[in-house]
Amino acid sequence: MQNQARKAHFWMVLDVLGGQAIPFAIFLVIARIIGPQAYGTFALAMAFVGLMSVIIYQGLADALIRVEELDERHVSTAFWMNLALASLIFVLVQVLAGPVASLYGASEMEPVLRWIALLAPLQALVSVQIVLFRRNLDTAALARRTFLGRSIGGVVGVALAFLGAGIWSLAALQLVQAAVSVWVLWRADRWRPRLIFDIGQARDFARFGSHFMGATVITSLGTSADSLLVGLFLDPVTVGYYALAARLIEMARMVVLLPMRMLIMPVLSRLSDPEALAASYNEMARSVLAIWMPLLLALGTGAEILPIFFGAKWEGSSLVLQAMSLVAFTMPLWALAGDALSAVGRPDLYLQLAAMQVGILAAGITVGAQFGLVGVGLGWSAASACMVPLAILTLRRACPIAWGAQIASALRIGLAGIGCVAGYFAAFHLMDGLGWPSWARSLIGTGFGLGLYAALLEFVLLPGHITGTLRSLWTLFASRATPSTRSAA
């Protein structure tokens, strides 16, 4: 079971890396061409439609993961429920596109909203397949889907951007990517929906899904409400600056947090012993935090080089990225809690936690926006810090055992993170005295800080953690190589 989970995590990481590295390279090209205003407008449109992807991918179909003996009644019923929900979302977007565009004073947003609403039915067509692959910890097809979809969609988007399509290059990218995903997954899975709709199963899914879907919808609202709130207080160009910084943070979140989030439910739901469940969750959270911490700190310390990659027009994103990178110390400590709560059959607590997160985030952004874009970033980071004690207290309600081990590990990793920041400033100021340019000081300081972080973690604060992780990865690669070698023989 543990080895199967590691292999599933391996393919999930590849899936997410392909889903982030390819779009990021494409975004580097498109962002330099279209500029912050067009990107800010598209970010507002996607923020408004963003709820639907979470409803489809993590809504009712996720109830299938917890069904012990799955049959055609469960699967087809979930498929038709999701398709009906997607159709409703499509219609609602068509009705609301005009008023939303008027609210933000961006007339070009209305036709974009109408077209990207097609993402809802496209995503619904593969929602059940994705859950079935996750349930069986068979995620290789998801990785292939990601690489093909992102690559083909990216080629279309870049070509249109060079041809002067502007914001429509981003819309076409999203739609082509979704269409390719449908083609890949329907070829990879033999299952096809049947004309079966079991009312009893639909009610069971609704009972579980009402809490779980409500929590994921609210969580998605938290990830998109920031852009919507910034758009209410600030102009589209500033929204573009914020959207770039948020995109970089989101890329890190998808690479580090999402694979573990996708793994938590199918793994923890099979553990009946509370102590084993807590130990597994603590191990997952510790591993994620140890990777997340240096990655986010590197984004913050290296923010000054953003204009080199994206162009001088994006310089306004540097300071807000630095402010937002403070979530390095907090986000993994609460972002995994909802999936753990759902795994132990308490999606109601997940819903409560998600509602608190949205309220705190909205308050932080609203207050921060009164002080400008950097204030928004600081408010965003402060909201993340407030979520940590709430998540721990909520987890204790679902699994009433001591969570001190998780807190102790987090404090040790946090100390290594402080060492990373201190190493950065020390090297940065040393290079400043030597007259080095700002971008060189930033790169060298970031590299020195990361090296100090690794040394503190490996030899002082969590001895052997890094080498142990590397050994596990080597074992995984070796186990994947062995079957192919034998079959070839």
Side-chain angles (χ1 to χ4, degrees), residues 100-342:
V100 170
S102 298
L103 176 65
Y104 288 97
S107 58
E108 65 272 26
M109 188 190 301
E110 180 178 350
V112 172
L113 278 171
R114 296 189 188 281
W115 275 98
I116 63 176
L118 289 170
L119 292 173
L122 288 172
Q123 290 167 347
L125 289 174
V126 294
S127 60
V128 168
Q129 284 91 337
I130 290 173
V131 171
L132 293 176
F133 282 124
R134 287 176 55 200
R135 174 186 170 91
N136 298 324
L137 299 179
D138 180 12
T139 51
L142 301 182
R144 291 193 295 270
R145 174 275 314 251
T146 298
F147 275 100
L148 282 174
R150 301 290 190 181
S151 300
I152 298 173
V155 169
V156 173
V158 170
L160 289 175
F162 274 113
L163 292 174
I167 193 173
W168 288 103
S169 62
L170 295 170
L173 185 154
Q174 295 288 334
L175 291 170
V176 171
Q177 173 184 301
V180 172
S181 295
V182 173
W183 178 74
V184 171
L185 290 183
W186 277 64
R187 284 177 58 87
D189 189 9
R190 296 180 179 178
W191 177 83
R192 295 293 182 269
R194 299 181 184 177
L195 293 177
I196 299 174
F197 191 85
D198 190 300
I199 298 297
Q201 291 301 329
R203 289 173 180 170
D204 290 340
F205 289 155
R207 276 193 290 269
F208 175 83
S210 60
H211 291 298
F212 185 75
M213 185 175 65
T216 51
V217 169
I218 292 175
T219 301
S220 176
L221 180 60
T223 61
S224 58
D226 51 358
S227 294
L228 296 174
L229 284 172
V230 173
L232 290 176
F233 292 110
L234 304 172
D235 58 88
V237 174
T238 307
V239 174
Y241 293 147
Y242 175 81
L244 172 60
R247 173 67 182 271
L248 294 174
I249 300 287
E250 177 69 6
M251 183 180 70
R253 188 187 70 83
M254 294 288 285
V255 169
V256 179
L257 293 178
L258 182 61
M260 194 62 74
R261 285 195 61 196
M262 295 176 68
L263 194 62
I264 280 180
M265 271 195 70
V267 171
L268 296 189
S269 61
R270 303 180 188 185
L271 299 176
S272 57
D273 179 44
E275 293 188 2
L277 186 146
S280 296
Y281 178 81
N282 286 339
E283 181 182 358
M284 292 177 177
R286 182 178 64 248
S287 299
V288 168
L289 183 60
I291 299 171
W292 171 263
M293 180 82 66
L295 179 58
L296 264 290
L297 292 177
L299 279 178
T301 57
E304 293 188 13
I305 67 173
L306 281 182
I308 296 177
F309 288 102
F310 293 95
K313 65 182 76 173
W314 289 96
E315 187 175 358
S317 296
S318 297
L319 288 177
V320 67
L321 178 58
Q322 291 176 338
M324 295 174 72
S325 68
L326 293 174
V327 296
F329 296 92
T330 58
M331 186 170 283
L333 300 178
W334 62 266
L336 303 176
D339 298 278
L341 291 169
S342 297

Side-chain angles (χ1 to χ4, degrees), residues 82-95 120-121:
N82 257 359
L83 189 59
L85 185 58
S87 301
L88 176 61
I89 292 170
F90 177 82
V91 173
L92 287 175
V93 173
Q94 302 306 312
V95 173

Side-chain angles (χ1 to χ4, degrees), residues 20 158 231 251 279 344 348 350 379:
Q20 294 302 307
V158 170
M251 183 180 70
V344 298
D348 56 320
Y350 183 13

Side-chain angles (χ1 to χ4, degrees), residues 21-34 158 244 247-248 306 308-311 314:
I22 296 173
F24 181 68
I26 294 166
F27 177 60
L28 281 175
V29 178
I30 296 180
R32 294 181 70 97
I33 299 173
I34 68 174
V158 170
L244 172 60
R247 173 67 182 271
L248 294 174
L306 281 182
I308 296 177
F309 288 102
F310 293 95
W314 289 96

